mmCIF file of all heavy atoms in Angstrom:
data_model
loop_
_atom_site.group_PDB
_atom_site.id
_atom_site.type_symbol
_atom_site.label_atom_id
_atom_site.label_comp_id
_atom_site.label_asym_id
_atom_site.label_seq_id
_atom_site.Cartn_x
_atom_site.Cartn_y
_atom_site.Cartn_z
ATOM 1 N N LEU A 131 -135.526 -43.595 27.910
ATOM 2 C CA LEU A 131 -136.541 -42.722 27.332
ATOM 3 C C LEU A 131 -136.057 -42.113 26.024
ATOM 4 O O LEU A 131 -136.810 -42.049 25.045
ATOM 5 C CB LEU A 131 -136.897 -41.609 28.326
ATOM 6 C CG LEU A 131 -137.879 -40.546 27.807
ATOM 7 C CD1 LEU A 131 -139.196 -41.175 27.377
ATOM 8 C CD2 LEU A 131 -138.111 -39.470 28.868
ATOM 9 N N GLY A 132 -134.798 -41.689 25.995
ATOM 10 C CA GLY A 132 -134.272 -41.092 24.771
ATOM 11 C C GLY A 132 -134.324 -42.056 23.601
ATOM 12 O O GLY A 132 -134.732 -41.689 22.490
ATOM 13 N N ASN A 133 -133.937 -43.298 23.840
ATOM 14 C CA ASN A 133 -133.942 -44.289 22.761
ATOM 15 C C ASN A 133 -135.362 -44.651 22.328
ATOM 16 O O ASN A 133 -135.666 -44.733 21.130
ATOM 17 C CB ASN A 133 -133.215 -45.560 23.220
ATOM 18 C CG ASN A 133 -131.725 -45.326 23.411
ATOM 19 O OD1 ASN A 133 -131.143 -44.439 22.793
ATOM 20 N ND2 ASN A 133 -131.104 -46.108 24.280
ATOM 21 N N ALA A 134 -136.238 -44.870 23.318
ATOM 22 C CA ALA A 134 -137.613 -45.251 22.998
ATOM 23 C C ALA A 134 -138.347 -44.116 22.294
ATOM 24 O O ALA A 134 -139.106 -44.349 21.337
ATOM 25 C CB ALA A 134 -138.358 -45.647 24.269
ATOM 26 N N TYR A 135 -138.124 -42.902 22.739
ATOM 27 C CA TYR A 135 -138.798 -41.745 22.141
ATOM 28 C C TYR A 135 -138.333 -41.535 20.699
ATOM 29 O O TYR A 135 -139.138 -41.279 19.799
ATOM 30 C CB TYR A 135 -138.521 -40.503 22.976
ATOM 31 C CG TYR A 135 -139.485 -39.367 22.747
ATOM 32 C CD1 TYR A 135 -140.642 -39.248 23.500
ATOM 33 C CD2 TYR A 135 -139.239 -38.394 21.785
ATOM 34 C CE1 TYR A 135 -141.532 -38.216 23.302
ATOM 35 C CE2 TYR A 135 -140.116 -37.343 21.573
ATOM 36 C CZ TYR A 135 -141.265 -37.258 22.339
ATOM 37 O OH TYR A 135 -142.147 -36.210 22.122
ATOM 38 N N PHE A 136 -137.025 -41.679 20.483
ATOM 39 C CA PHE A 136 -136.508 -41.502 19.123
ATOM 40 C C PHE A 136 -137.024 -42.593 18.196
ATOM 41 O O PHE A 136 -137.354 -42.343 17.035
ATOM 42 C CB PHE A 136 -134.977 -41.502 19.134
ATOM 43 C CG PHE A 136 -134.383 -41.206 17.790
ATOM 44 C CD1 PHE A 136 -134.274 -39.907 17.340
ATOM 45 C CD2 PHE A 136 -133.946 -42.235 16.961
ATOM 46 C CE1 PHE A 136 -133.746 -39.626 16.080
ATOM 47 C CE2 PHE A 136 -133.411 -41.972 15.716
ATOM 48 C CZ PHE A 136 -133.303 -40.653 15.269
ATOM 49 N N THR A 137 -137.114 -43.820 18.720
ATOM 50 C CA THR A 137 -137.627 -44.929 17.919
ATOM 51 C C THR A 137 -139.060 -44.671 17.472
ATOM 52 O O THR A 137 -139.426 -44.946 16.318
ATOM 53 C CB THR A 137 -137.567 -46.241 18.719
ATOM 54 O OG1 THR A 137 -136.205 -46.522 19.048
ATOM 55 C CG2 THR A 137 -138.154 -47.400 17.918
ATOM 56 N N LYS A 138 -139.871 -44.113 18.354
ATOM 57 C CA LYS A 138 -141.278 -43.889 18.036
ATOM 58 C C LYS A 138 -141.523 -42.623 17.233
ATOM 59 O O LYS A 138 -142.347 -42.607 16.326
ATOM 60 C CB LYS A 138 -142.100 -43.825 19.329
ATOM 61 C CG LYS A 138 -142.321 -45.168 19.998
ATOM 62 C CD LYS A 138 -143.355 -45.049 21.120
ATOM 63 C CE LYS A 138 -143.693 -46.431 21.686
ATOM 64 N NZ LYS A 138 -144.781 -46.359 22.696
ATOM 65 N N TYR A 139 -140.786 -41.543 17.586
ATOM 66 C CA TYR A 139 -141.138 -40.245 17.023
ATOM 67 C C TYR A 139 -140.015 -39.572 16.236
ATOM 68 O O TYR A 139 -140.199 -38.462 15.740
ATOM 69 C CB TYR A 139 -141.598 -39.305 18.151
ATOM 70 C CG TYR A 139 -142.643 -39.937 19.027
ATOM 71 C CD1 TYR A 139 -142.402 -40.187 20.379
ATOM 72 C CD2 TYR A 139 -143.876 -40.306 18.504
ATOM 73 C CE1 TYR A 139 -143.357 -40.780 21.182
ATOM 74 C CE2 TYR A 139 -144.838 -40.903 19.304
ATOM 75 C CZ TYR A 139 -144.567 -41.143 20.638
ATOM 76 O OH TYR A 139 -145.522 -41.739 21.427
ATOM 77 N N ARG A 140 -138.866 -40.240 16.152
ATOM 78 C CA ARG A 140 -137.722 -39.686 15.420
ATOM 79 C C ARG A 140 -137.374 -38.282 15.910
ATOM 80 O O ARG A 140 -137.122 -37.358 15.134
ATOM 81 C CB ARG A 140 -138.006 -39.667 13.909
ATOM 82 C CG ARG A 140 -138.014 -41.055 13.287
ATOM 83 C CD ARG A 140 -136.612 -41.679 13.372
ATOM 84 N NE ARG A 140 -136.514 -42.982 12.739
ATOM 85 C CZ ARG A 140 -136.658 -44.136 13.351
ATOM 86 N NH1 ARG A 140 -136.923 -44.163 14.651
ATOM 87 N NH2 ARG A 140 -136.531 -45.276 12.708
ATOM 88 N N ALA A 141 -137.373 -38.127 17.223
ATOM 89 C CA ALA A 141 -137.049 -36.843 17.841
ATOM 90 C C ALA A 141 -136.542 -37.083 19.250
ATOM 91 O O ALA A 141 -136.712 -38.173 19.816
ATOM 92 C CB ALA A 141 -138.288 -35.939 17.865
ATOM 93 N N LYS A 142 -135.897 -36.079 19.822
ATOM 94 C CA LYS A 142 -135.464 -36.164 21.203
ATOM 95 C C LYS A 142 -136.637 -35.834 22.119
ATOM 96 O O LYS A 142 -137.456 -34.974 21.795
ATOM 97 C CB LYS A 142 -134.315 -35.185 21.465
ATOM 98 C CG LYS A 142 -133.023 -35.526 20.734
ATOM 99 C CD LYS A 142 -131.930 -34.521 21.092
ATOM 100 C CE LYS A 142 -130.620 -34.863 20.390
ATOM 101 N NZ LYS A 142 -129.548 -33.879 20.729
ATOM 102 N N PRO A 143 -136.732 -36.493 23.270
ATOM 103 C CA PRO A 143 -137.830 -36.187 24.183
ATOM 104 C C PRO A 143 -137.721 -34.772 24.729
ATOM 105 O O PRO A 143 -136.633 -34.288 25.028
ATOM 106 C CB PRO A 143 -137.674 -37.233 25.295
ATOM 107 C CG PRO A 143 -136.248 -37.679 25.221
ATOM 108 C CD PRO A 143 -135.863 -37.574 23.781
ATOM 109 N N THR A 144 -138.851 -34.112 24.839
ATOM 110 C CA THR A 144 -138.888 -32.763 25.376
ATOM 111 C C THR A 144 -138.981 -32.801 26.899
ATOM 112 O O THR A 144 -139.139 -33.863 27.505
ATOM 113 C CB THR A 144 -140.114 -32.012 24.835
ATOM 114 O OG1 THR A 144 -141.300 -32.700 25.290
ATOM 115 C CG2 THR A 144 -140.095 -31.980 23.313
ATOM 116 N N ASP A 145 -138.910 -31.624 27.503
ATOM 117 C CA ASP A 145 -139.044 -31.511 28.953
ATOM 118 C C ASP A 145 -140.382 -32.089 29.419
ATOM 119 O O ASP A 145 -140.453 -32.773 30.440
ATOM 120 C CB ASP A 145 -138.935 -30.041 29.362
ATOM 121 C CG ASP A 145 -139.096 -29.834 30.861
ATOM 122 O OD1 ASP A 145 -138.282 -30.391 31.619
ATOM 123 O OD2 ASP A 145 -140.018 -29.122 31.266
ATOM 124 N N MET A 146 -141.449 -31.845 28.660
ATOM 125 C CA MET A 146 -142.761 -32.370 29.032
ATOM 126 C C MET A 146 -142.809 -33.888 28.899
ATOM 127 O O MET A 146 -143.475 -34.567 29.687
ATOM 128 C CB MET A 146 -143.849 -31.725 28.176
ATOM 129 C CG MET A 146 -144.108 -30.266 28.517
ATOM 130 S SD MET A 146 -144.683 -30.032 30.224
ATOM 131 C CE MET A 146 -146.313 -30.780 30.130
ATOM 132 N N ALA A 147 -142.100 -34.431 27.933
ATOM 133 C CA ALA A 147 -142.052 -35.888 27.792
ATOM 134 C C ALA A 147 -141.356 -36.515 28.995
ATOM 135 O O ALA A 147 -141.785 -37.563 29.501
ATOM 136 C CB ALA A 147 -141.332 -36.266 26.499
ATOM 137 N N TYR A 148 -140.286 -35.870 29.459
ATOM 138 C CA TYR A 148 -139.607 -36.363 30.659
ATOM 139 C C TYR A 148 -140.542 -36.355 31.863
ATOM 140 O O TYR A 148 -140.578 -37.302 32.651
ATOM 141 C CB TYR A 148 -138.374 -35.504 30.960
ATOM 142 C CG TYR A 148 -137.153 -35.920 30.174
ATOM 143 C CD1 TYR A 148 -136.704 -35.168 29.091
ATOM 144 C CD2 TYR A 148 -136.438 -37.064 30.518
ATOM 145 C CE1 TYR A 148 -135.583 -35.544 28.365
ATOM 146 C CE2 TYR A 148 -135.313 -37.446 29.799
ATOM 147 C CZ TYR A 148 -134.898 -36.685 28.728
ATOM 148 O OH TYR A 148 -133.797 -37.067 28.015
ATOM 149 N N LYS A 149 -141.298 -35.288 32.009
ATOM 150 C CA LYS A 149 -142.203 -35.170 33.152
ATOM 151 C C LYS A 149 -143.325 -36.207 33.068
ATOM 152 O O LYS A 149 -143.744 -36.754 34.090
ATOM 153 C CB LYS A 149 -142.769 -33.757 33.224
ATOM 154 C CG LYS A 149 -141.721 -32.718 33.603
ATOM 155 C CD LYS A 149 -142.270 -31.302 33.567
ATOM 156 C CE LYS A 149 -141.185 -30.306 33.942
ATOM 157 N NZ LYS A 149 -141.646 -28.904 33.844
ATOM 158 N N GLY A 150 -143.814 -36.441 31.861
ATOM 159 C CA GLY A 150 -144.846 -37.455 31.697
ATOM 160 C C GLY A 150 -144.325 -38.839 32.017
ATOM 161 O O GLY A 150 -144.982 -39.628 32.709
ATOM 162 N N PHE A 151 -143.132 -39.158 31.524
ATOM 163 C CA PHE A 151 -142.523 -40.455 31.798
ATOM 164 C C PHE A 151 -142.292 -40.639 33.290
ATOM 165 O O PHE A 151 -142.669 -41.656 33.881
ATOM 166 C CB PHE A 151 -141.193 -40.574 31.040
ATOM 167 C CG PHE A 151 -140.458 -41.866 31.273
ATOM 168 C CD1 PHE A 151 -140.635 -42.939 30.418
ATOM 169 C CD2 PHE A 151 -139.592 -42.015 32.352
ATOM 170 C CE1 PHE A 151 -139.961 -44.141 30.618
ATOM 171 C CE2 PHE A 151 -138.913 -43.203 32.573
ATOM 172 C CZ PHE A 151 -139.104 -44.272 31.704
ATOM 173 N N GLU A 152 -141.672 -39.654 33.901
ATOM 174 C CA GLU A 152 -141.316 -39.757 35.311
ATOM 175 C C GLU A 152 -142.546 -39.913 36.201
ATOM 176 O O GLU A 152 -142.575 -40.766 37.097
ATOM 177 C CB GLU A 152 -140.537 -38.516 35.737
ATOM 178 C CG GLU A 152 -140.169 -38.478 37.208
ATOM 179 C CD GLU A 152 -139.376 -37.252 37.558
ATOM 180 O OE1 GLU A 152 -139.877 -36.122 37.321
ATOM 181 O OE2 GLU A 152 -138.244 -37.391 38.050
ATOM 182 N N SER A 153 -143.565 -39.100 35.972
ATOM 183 C CA SER A 153 -144.746 -39.144 36.836
ATOM 184 C C SER A 153 -145.485 -40.459 36.694
ATOM 185 O O SER A 153 -145.948 -41.044 37.685
ATOM 186 C CB SER A 153 -145.679 -37.969 36.531
ATOM 187 O OG SER A 153 -146.089 -37.964 35.181
ATOM 188 N N ALA A 154 -145.607 -40.971 35.471
ATOM 189 C CA ALA A 154 -146.299 -42.248 35.272
ATOM 190 C C ALA A 154 -145.518 -43.393 35.903
ATOM 191 O O ALA A 154 -146.085 -44.214 36.633
ATOM 192 C CB ALA A 154 -146.515 -42.505 33.780
ATOM 193 N N TYR A 155 -144.226 -43.442 35.640
ATOM 194 C CA TYR A 155 -143.417 -44.537 36.176
ATOM 195 C C TYR A 155 -143.381 -44.499 37.699
ATOM 196 O O TYR A 155 -143.587 -45.522 38.370
ATOM 197 C CB TYR A 155 -141.992 -44.458 35.620
ATOM 198 C CG TYR A 155 -141.112 -45.611 36.068
ATOM 199 C CD1 TYR A 155 -141.047 -46.790 35.316
ATOM 200 C CD2 TYR A 155 -140.368 -45.534 37.246
ATOM 201 C CE1 TYR A 155 -140.263 -47.858 35.744
ATOM 202 C CE2 TYR A 155 -139.586 -46.584 37.668
ATOM 203 C CZ TYR A 155 -139.536 -47.746 36.919
ATOM 204 O OH TYR A 155 -138.767 -48.794 37.350
ATOM 205 N N TYR A 156 -143.120 -43.331 38.258
ATOM 206 C CA TYR A 156 -142.919 -43.202 39.700
ATOM 207 C C TYR A 156 -144.202 -43.477 40.483
ATOM 208 O O TYR A 156 -144.233 -44.338 41.374
ATOM 209 C CB TYR A 156 -142.411 -41.798 39.999
ATOM 210 C CG TYR A 156 -142.036 -41.551 41.444
ATOM 211 C CD1 TYR A 156 -140.817 -41.985 41.955
ATOM 212 C CD2 TYR A 156 -142.892 -40.854 42.299
ATOM 213 C CE1 TYR A 156 -140.467 -41.749 43.272
ATOM 214 C CE2 TYR A 156 -142.549 -40.619 43.617
ATOM 215 C CZ TYR A 156 -141.334 -41.060 44.105
ATOM 216 O OH TYR A 156 -140.992 -40.829 45.412
ATOM 217 N N PHE A 157 -145.266 -42.786 40.154
ATOM 218 C CA PHE A 157 -146.466 -42.868 40.977
ATOM 219 C C PHE A 157 -147.281 -44.135 40.733
ATOM 220 O O PHE A 157 -147.911 -44.642 41.662
ATOM 221 C CB PHE A 157 -147.313 -41.612 40.784
ATOM 222 C CG PHE A 157 -146.656 -40.378 41.326
ATOM 223 C CD1 PHE A 157 -146.080 -39.449 40.474
ATOM 224 C CD2 PHE A 157 -146.573 -40.165 42.690
ATOM 225 C CE1 PHE A 157 -145.446 -38.316 40.968
ATOM 226 C CE2 PHE A 157 -145.950 -39.042 43.206
ATOM 227 C CZ PHE A 157 -145.380 -38.109 42.341
ATOM 228 N N ILE A 158 -147.253 -44.666 39.524
ATOM 229 C CA ILE A 158 -147.980 -45.921 39.298
ATOM 230 C C ILE A 158 -147.261 -47.074 39.987
ATOM 231 O O ILE A 158 -147.892 -47.990 40.520
ATOM 232 C CB ILE A 158 -148.171 -46.188 37.798
ATOM 233 C CG1 ILE A 158 -149.087 -45.117 37.196
ATOM 234 C CG2 ILE A 158 -148.790 -47.567 37.566
ATOM 235 C CD1 ILE A 158 -149.311 -45.247 35.696
#
C-alpha cells in the first residue's frame, strides 16, 4: 500500500487510506 499510494499520489497513505484498503481487500 505504501508503494502504490506513493506512486499514485506522491504521499504516504493516511490512517483512513489504510482502513479503506483493508476493508475492501478483506471483505470483498
Side-chain angles (χ1 to χ4, degrees):
L131 175 59
N133 292 334
Y135 199 90
F136 185 81
T137 299
K138 286 191 174 185
Y139 310 116
R140 289 295 183 266
K142 293 182 179 180
T144 62
D145 179 60
M146 289 298 291
Y148 276 105
K149 291 176 180 177
F151 179 93
E152 177 179 58
S153 58
Y155 183 90
Y156 185 80
F157 293 105
I158 294 178

